[in-house]
Amino acid sequence: MLHGTVETGLLRALTRGADTRAFPILVAAVALIATLSMTIPFGTLLIAAVLLAPRRWLAIAAASSFGSAVGALILYLVFHHLGWNRFFEAYPDVVRSVAWRDATSWLGGYGVPSLLIIAALPLPLTPALMFAAISRLPAAEVILALWVGKLVKYTLYAWLA
């Protein structure tokens, strides 16, 4: 219920701000919030934003990829400070999921470049962020991989919209 309410509120904020010069920044803020929620898929909000301001699709894609990458970095830092024991207690379902198994396999084998690929694909990013944080990958490399991966994905989504 809360998920739908938050998503509706974010969509309403996008609709109200579509005619402003700062619209790409607003979309970046929405991307950050959606990423931090770990439950709201941003792709539909991105498509709505592009449809509201189609001439600014590239600026919207660039800004939203940065906002989403910052949100993911915040999650990375939170998960990093949780540590293994508190992490397993707080998120037992994630640790048993297929997404967790896939993310740990990719990150264990390929490191930060796999995070870029996961961010660029329509895959759940949270398990990969959790494992990356616990594995203590360098934060600067993580945000760069997240931003580039999201930029690729969101530019494609925006262009298609």
Side-chain angles (χ1 to χ4, degrees):
M1 184 68 157
L2 179 63
H3 160 73
T5 304
V6 173
E7 190 172 19
T8 302
L10 292 174
L11 188 56
R12 213 174 291 130
L14 288 175
T15 304
R16 282 193 303 263
D19 294 330
T20 66
R21 291 189 71 203
F23 186 60
I25 296 168
L26 174 64
V27 179
V30 168
L32 188 143
I33 292 166
T35 301
L36 288 176
S37 79
M38 295 190 299
T39 59
I40 298 171
F42 178 68
T44 56
L45 296 170
L46 173 65
I47 291 168
V50 170
L51 292 175
L52 288 166
R55 291 190 178 125
R56 300 187 331 189
W57 70 272
L58 193 54
I60 292 168
S64 62
S65 63
F66 182 75
S68 183
V70 169
L73 181 65
I74 292 168
L75 289 176
Y76 169 88
L77 294 172
V78 168
F79 296 143
H80 174 75
H81 291 290
L82 279 177
W84 281 105
N85 293 334
R86 289 184 49 200
F87 173 77
F88 287 127
E89 291 172 12
Y91 303 100
D93 293 337
V94 172
V95 176
R96 289 187 284 259
S97 72
V98 173
W100 173 264
R101 188 184 70 229
D102 292 345
T104 56
S105 172
W106 282 33
L107 284 165
Y110 304 106
V112 174
S114 64
L115 194 57
L116 184 149
I117 293 168
I118 292 169
L121 295 173
L123 298 171
L125 183 61
T126 305
L129 281 176
M130 291 174 174
F131 186 74
I134 293 169
S135 299
R136 302 185 187 279
L137 295 176
E141 291 177 24
V142 167
I143 192 161
L144 181 62
L146 292 170
W147 180 70
V148 171
K150 295 287 187 177
L151 183 62
V152 168
K153 178 168 50 177
Y154 292 165
T155 300
L156 179 63
Y157 284 7
W159 179 77
L160 288 171

